């Protein structure tokens, strides 16, 4: 949300196109504890933080359009964006404030927006297991962000699911503060780098369950949260209930770049490639990228906000130079 605020302060007319409900902070259901100025318990829910950001952006006359982008034409001049809109609803974060008229367009009737500059901030989604109990226990012991939530489980038993570098790094970080870490991996070998694998195997607080998959999560989101993870050995088919207080799923991320087709330069993992020390998309005019869609290293709310502000500055400068 720093992006629209920064752009509006520069005298631009930022239009934010996004579903009414979505995004990492809303979808993960976790408390936000690592964002500057957010520290009181009443303010730390992802929903509340997004609400505050939106209210701040609205003060600078940013416009929010609740809808889903159906297609983008980056070769057009100006760039065109086709949006399928939700019915108009009052902005929940600003009582009495009406949404732009475009949101009154029925969902089945797309509208096309023209713009001279486009900031791609569609993010990436953490991959989930899709097993029973996962959805209801998200934010109650089941998480995809050990960096965000690991400190909540100091001196407790935790589990990590995965076999890549991210899973190894999560396990090593968690082992510093938790009572024990159990890694569950479906294969007989990790695909992570050798140096990380060696560190994990030599850590006395970490144990490994090979050739094992998660069947379901058990617990009560209104009570203690996650209490057990039911796993099955792929070779013996033996089912085991493992008592843990938290489970961190580290099986990768999926960048949300599909709506752009082959119009954007992507790396081998699907992340948008930007120019060095800039948010400008490589080889593109008037197109910028911010947040997780161009970041496969940090993936934090605070770093995404920073690149959002940078993208607004880059867009302002580009518009000034080009026009």
């Amino acid at each position: 949300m720093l992006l629209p605020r920064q752009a509006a302060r520069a005298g631009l007319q930022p239009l934010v196109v996004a579903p009414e409900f979505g995004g990492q902070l809303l979808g993960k259901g976790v408390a936000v504890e690592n964002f500057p100025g957010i520290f009181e318990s009443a303010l730390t829910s992802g929903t509340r933080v997004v609400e505050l950001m939106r209210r701040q952006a609205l003060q600078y006359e940013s416009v929010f359009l609740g809808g889903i982008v159906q297609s983008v034409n980056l070769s057009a001049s100006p760039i065109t964006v086709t949006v399928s809109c939700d019915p108009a609803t009052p902005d929940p974060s600003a009582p009495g404030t009406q949404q732009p008229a475009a949101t009154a367009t029925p969902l089945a009737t797309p509208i096309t927006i023209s713009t001279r500059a486009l900031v791609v901030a569609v993010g990436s989604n953490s991959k989930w297991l899709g097993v029973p109990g996962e959805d209801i226990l998200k934010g109650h012991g089941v998480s995809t962000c050990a960096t965000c939530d690991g400190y909540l489980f100091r001196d407790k038993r935790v589990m990590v699911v995965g076999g890549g570098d991210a899973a190894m790094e999560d396990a090593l970080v968690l082992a510093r503060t938790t009572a024990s870490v159990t890694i569950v991996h479906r294969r007989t070998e990790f695909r992570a780098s050798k140096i990380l694998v060696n560190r994990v195997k030599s850590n006395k607080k970490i144990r490994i369950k090979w050739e094992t998959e998660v069947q379901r999560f058990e617990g009560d989101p209104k009570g203690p949260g996650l209490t057990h993870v039911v796993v099955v050995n792929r070779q013996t088919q033996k089912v085991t209930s493992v008592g843990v207080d938290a489970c961190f799923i580290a099986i990768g991320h999926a960048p949300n770049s599909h709506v752009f087709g082959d119009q954007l330069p992507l790396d081998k993992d699907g992340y948008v490639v930007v120019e060095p020390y800039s948010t400008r998309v490589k080889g593109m005019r008037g197109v910028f990228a911010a947040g997780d869609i161009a970041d496969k290293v940090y993936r934090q709310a605070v770093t995404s906000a920073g690149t959002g502000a940078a993208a607004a500055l880059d867009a302002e400068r580009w518009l000034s130079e080009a026009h």
Side-chain angles (χ1 to χ4, degrees):
M1 294 296 179
L2 282 179
L3 195 161
R5 187 194 71 177
Q6 191 77 32
R9 283 170 60 98
L12 304 179
Q13 296 177 307
L15 171 65
V16 181
V17 178
E20 289 296 327
F21 300 98
Q24 292 278 28
L25 290 182
L26 292 178
K28 286 189 175 181
V30 298
V32 180
E33 303 284 356
N34 59 347
F35 198 93
I38 303 297
F39 59 93
E40 296 180 6
S41 59
L43 301 178
T44 59
S45 72
T47 302
R48 179 60 172 158
V49 172
V50 171
E51 177 188 346
L52 292 172
M53 290 180 177
R54 175 178 283 200
R55 290 178 62 183
Q56 185 180 35
L58 286 168
Q59 287 184 341
Y60 293 94
E61 299 184 351
S62 299
V63 176
F64 287 84
L65 177 60
I68 299 173
V69 174
Q70 299 294 328
S71 64
V72 181
N73 187 351
L74 298 179
S75 63
S77 183
I79 295 167
T80 58
V81 181
T82 301
V83 184
S84 186
C85 296
D86 296 331
T89 54
D91 181 1
S93 62
T97 301
Q98 295 295 316
Q99 286 289 306
T103 56
T105 305
L107 183 64
T109 306
I111 64 170
T112 299
I113 301 165
S114 297
T115 180
R116 290 183 294 165
L118 176 69
V119 177
V120 179
V122 291
S124 65
N125 289 335
S126 299
K127 294 180 180 178
W128 296 89
L129 296 173
V131 299
E134 185 176 63
D135 283 342
I136 64 171
L137 290 169
K138 287 179 182 177
H140 301 280
V142 177
S143 172
T144 56
C145 188
T147 305
C148 312
D149 308 327
Y151 82 99
L152 296 169
F153 301 96
R154 180 179 294 273
D155 298 324
K156 295 186 177 181
R157 306 159 300 168
V158 301
M159 177 180 288
V160 174
V161 180
D165 283 354
M168 301 301 103
E169 291 168 354
D170 284 357
L172 290 167
V173 168
L174 291 165
R176 299 173 190 167
T177 57
T178 59
S180 65
V181 180
T182 300
I183 299 178
V184 170
H185 186 47
R186 64 194 303 270
R187 297 186 174 89
T188 56
E189 293 182 358
F190 291 129
R191 63 182 184 278
S193 60
K194 185 176 181 180
I195 188 169
L196 287 175
V197 171
N198 289 340
R199 288 175 183 170
V200 164
K201 289 182 176 180
S202 63
N203 193 306
K204 295 180 179 179
K205 294 177 70 175
I206 300 175
R207 64 172 183 162
I208 304 166
K209 284 185 171 293
W210 300 105
E211 296 186 277
T212 301
E213 294 181 338
V214 173
Q215 277 196 336
R216 65 181 182 273
F217 295 104
E218 296 181 341
D220 183 359
K222 297 181 180 179
L226 179 68
T227 57
H228 292 83
V229 179
V230 178
V231 300
V232 58
N233 184 282
R234 300 179 68 203
Q235 289 298 319
T236 65
Q237 297 303 307
K238 180 180 179 181
V239 176
T240 307
S241 179
V242 183
V244 294
D245 301 288
C247 181
F248 296 92
I249 302 166
I251 57 175
H253 287 74
N256 295 319
S257 53
H258 51 86
V259 70
F260 296 93
D262 59 359
Q263 298 182 88
L264 291 173
L266 307 176
D267 67 11
K268 63 182 180 63
D269 298 313
Y271 291 86
V272 175
V273 180
V274 296
E275 300 285 354
Y277 309 109
S278 173
T279 63
R280 293 191 182 194
V281 176
K282 191 172 183 178
M284 307 292 295
R285 289 177 53 80
V287 183
F288 308 85
D292 288 6
I293 189 62
D295 173 20
K296 58 182 178 183
V297 178
Y298 302 106
R299 292 193 290 257
Q300 299 294 302
V302 67
T303 54
S304 293
T307 56
L313 291 170
D314 286 343
E316 176 198 357
R317 289 168 183 164
W318 184 83
L319 289 169
S320 298
E321 294 168 0
H323 304 280

